Amino acid sequence: MAEARALAVFQAHSPNGDTPVDVISELASLVREVTRFRDFLRDRVSELSGDQWSYEHPARERITVEIGLYERACDRSARLLADVARLGLEDLERRAADHQALLERARAERIVAGIDEVLAVLDLDERQWELAPRAMAALLLHLAGSDADAGPA
């Protein structure tokens, strides 16, 4: 509920109504995109034959543009990677995965807390109290599409 309230406040004050950005994941995605594009252009330039490097080649203008794109991609990816290093995020992929794991754990903890609150107001006997956590785990696994067995419900 606290997350929903925070999101509502953010959306009320956001000029474009977007949801908050997961900065670490987005930055990791940008690094992958920039380096993939640079690598694509590197492969294009490396495929040029010896005669294509000639000023007399009929496709000289297109080739010159591709080489220029590759040079700019190298420069921009170097700047982006330097910025990431300056921020101390050299292990960006691992940090993004760790960040995602923390978010998932926080969500799971909120679900468990909510289940505990609901169970606390129900008039359950001792046997039902013992079965409730496994039944909820089985239901959540089912909803998540997992075939894993969480035990008897």
Side-chain angles (χ1 to χ4, degrees):
M1 290 182 66
E3 181 180 352
R5 284 192 299 262
L7 187 56
V9 169
F10 172 80
Q11 288 175 338
H13 298 287
S14 175
N16 56 6
D18 289 341
T19 57
V21 173
D22 179 353
V23 175
I24 298 291
S25 295
E26 288 296 320
L27 190 54
S29 176
L30 178 62
V31 167
R32 283 190 302 273
E33 184 177 348
V34 166
T35 55
R36 273 195 306 261
F37 185 63
R38 181 206 58 212
D39 294 346
F40 165 76
L41 291 170
R42 180 199 59 222
D43 293 344
R44 295 274 302 196
V45 169
S46 69
E47 291 171 359
L48 294 174
S49 64
D51 69 313
Q52 288 177 307
W53 287 93
S54 166
Y55 287 112
E56 289 79 31
H57 193 277
R60 181 188 62 188
E61 289 181 27
R62 180 189 55 82
I63 293 169
T64 302
V65 168
E66 286 186 11
I67 293 170
L69 283 172
Y70 175 57
E71 290 172 338
R72 284 193 302 280
C74 286
D75 182 54
R76 289 178 181 159
S77 65
R79 270 189 273 148
L80 176 62
L81 293 172
D83 289 343
V84 167
R86 197 174 310 114
L87 291 170
L89 301 175
E90 296 85 0
D91 53 350
L92 194 57
E93 292 291 335
R94 184 193 57 78
R95 285 182 183 221
D98 289 350
H99 182 68
Q100 190 61 36
L102 284 173
L103 290 174
E104 292 300 321
R105 181 179 176 90
R107 287 184 188 112
E109 288 172 354
R110 285 195 307 270
I111 290 170
V112 169
I115 291 170
D116 286 344
E117 288 178 24
V118 169
L119 292 176
V121 298
L122 298 176
D123 187 24
L124 302 178
D125 63 32
E126 189 175 324
R127 174 83 176 130
Q128 290 170 323
W129 266 104
E130 289 174 11
L131 292 176
R134 288 185 292 187
M136 288 307 299
L139 175 62
L140 291 172
L141 287 171
H142 173 72
L143 292 174
S146 173
D147 293 332
D149 183 20

